[in-house]
């Protein structure tokens, strides 16, 4: 993976997000996309060493579309300015599809690498299942979050979109109510890719994903 070339391509695209520029630079895109697919293929193999459940994830399906759906895009051009992928045991990327817990990462036009693990905005039925599990016993989640490597790499759960009040049917007096108020169960970290080689990028991603595994495993245990 030519990391610097990818960052440069995305930076240029962010300034020229139109079909004419993209058509002229499509050979660059095609090569970078192929390299990105190879990286995701290698990541699936590497993750499978500590999480065999993802071994059959299709790398092509793990990649997110690069073309933006202009029916729903309120701003920006026809192309996303990130290369992104989500690796799951189900092979489905999006929580709305029932993808379940995921290993996610993207590289953006600012040269930033975001690495995440968990479930972001799961659908209502899945969110209820997680909350009911927490109501019964939150020990598993707390143990996962106390994992030394997870805590060092990611800190704690992100609280984006957290409810101000307890969800319907849950007592505000529950000791774990602050966890139950969450709408996502995900950790992430963001760093610059400046100076990273392709090999170093792969190594960093695998290390981060391994550290996210305790949370992934706990979420996957909830049926």
């Amino acid at each position: 993976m030519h990391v610097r070339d990818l960052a440069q391509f995305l930076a240029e695209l962010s300034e020229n997000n139109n079909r004419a520029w993209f058509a002229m630079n499509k050979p660059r895109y095609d090569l970078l996309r192929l390299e990105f697919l190879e990286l995701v293929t290698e990541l699936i193999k590497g993750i499978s060493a500590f999480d065999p459940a993802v071994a059959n994830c299709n790398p092509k399906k793990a990649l997110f579309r690069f073309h933006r759906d202009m029916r729903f895009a309120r701003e920006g051009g026809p192309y996303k300015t990130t290369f992104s992928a989500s690796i799951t045991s189900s092979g489905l990327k999006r929580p709305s599809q029932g993808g379940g817990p995921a290993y996610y990462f993207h590289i953006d036009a600012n040269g930033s690498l975001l690495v995440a693990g968990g479930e972001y905005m799961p659908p209502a039925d899945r969110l209820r299942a997680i909350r009911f599990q927490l109501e019964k016993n939150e020990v598993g989640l707390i143990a996962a979050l106390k994992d030394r490597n997870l805590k060092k790499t990611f800190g704690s759960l992100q609280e984006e979109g957290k409810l101000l009040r307890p969800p319907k049917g849950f007592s505000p007096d529950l000791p774990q109510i602050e966890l139950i108020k969450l709408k996502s169960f995900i950790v992430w970290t963001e760093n610059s890719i400046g100076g990273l080689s392709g090999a170093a990028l792969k190594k960093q991603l695998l290390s981060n994903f391994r550290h996210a595994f305790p949370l992934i495993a706990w979420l996957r245990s909830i049926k």
Side-chain angles (χ1 to χ4, degrees):
M1 180 88 231
H2 291 85
V3 180
R4 185 173 62 179
D5 291 351
L6 174 56
Q8 182 64 33
F9 173 82
L10 293 173
E12 291 178 26
L13 175 62
S14 70
E15 298 294 328
N16 304 276
N17 202 328
N18 59 74
R19 290 184 173 85
W21 184 91
F22 185 78
M24 291 179 62
N25 289 273
K26 191 171 184 300
R28 293 172 65 193
Y29 166 79
D30 289 340
L31 178 59
L32 290 166
R33 191 72 170 178
L34 179 59
E35 290 182 347
F36 193 72
L37 176 60
E38 291 173 349
L39 171 62
V40 172
T41 301
E42 292 172 0
L43 288 173
I44 292 171
K45 182 178 179 180
I47 295 169
S48 298
F50 59 86
D51 185 1
V54 305
N56 294 322
C57 181
N58 185 330
K60 290 184 178 180
K61 292 184 177 180
L63 271 60
F64 282 90
R65 285 172 51 86
F66 192 67
H67 294 69
R68 185 177 282 128
D69 191 334
M70 298 306 292
R71 296 174 300 171
F72 306 107
R74 296 183 179 180
E75 58 184 30
Y79 309 103
K80 299 176 184 177
T81 54
T82 60
F83 270 32
S84 55
S86 183
I87 298 168
T88 67
S89 61
S90 67
L92 301 173
K93 291 188 292 288
R94 300 183 184 280
S96 59
Q97 299 173 325
Y103 302 94
Y104 171 86
F105 77 103
H106 74 228
I107 296 171
D108 68 18
N110 296 317
S112 293
L113 169 68
L114 185 144
V115 187
E119 290 190 56
Y120 180 76
M121 301 293 286
D125 57 342
R126 175 63 180 164
L127 184 56
R128 280 195 299 270
I130 296 172
R131 286 171 169 167
F132 285 143
Q133 177 60 37
L134 286 170
E135 183 181 37
K136 290 188 295 183
N137 185 355
E138 79 280 19
V139 172
L141 176 58
I142 291 174
L145 297 177
K146 285 183 176 179
D147 179 86
R148 180 173 60 86
N149 288 325
L150 183 147
K151 194 170 183 178
K152 181 178 179 181
T153 301
F154 299 103
S156 190
L157 290 171
Q158 296 293 323
E159 296 194 358
E160 179 181 313
K162 184 177 180 179
L163 296 175
L164 297 177
R165 296 183 177 84
K168 185 177 180 180
F170 293 89
S171 168
D173 298 324
L174 288 170
Q176 59 274 49
I177 194 61
E178 294 306 312
L179 290 172
I180 290 171
K181 288 181 184 178
L182 294 174
K183 297 170 72 174
S184 296
F185 294 83
I186 191 166
V187 292
W188 74 58
T189 184
E190 192 168 10
N191 298 285
S192 171
I193 59 171
L196 280 182
S197 66
L201 173 63
K202 175 186 169 183
K203 182 178 180 180
Q204 180 174 324
L205 285 166
L206 285 175
S207 175
N208 289 170
F209 288 149
R210 182 186 291 273
H211 295 168
F213 177 65
L215 176 60
I216 297 282
W218 180 79
L219 287 164
R220 198 181 287 146
S221 72
I222 301 170
K223 305 301 183 182

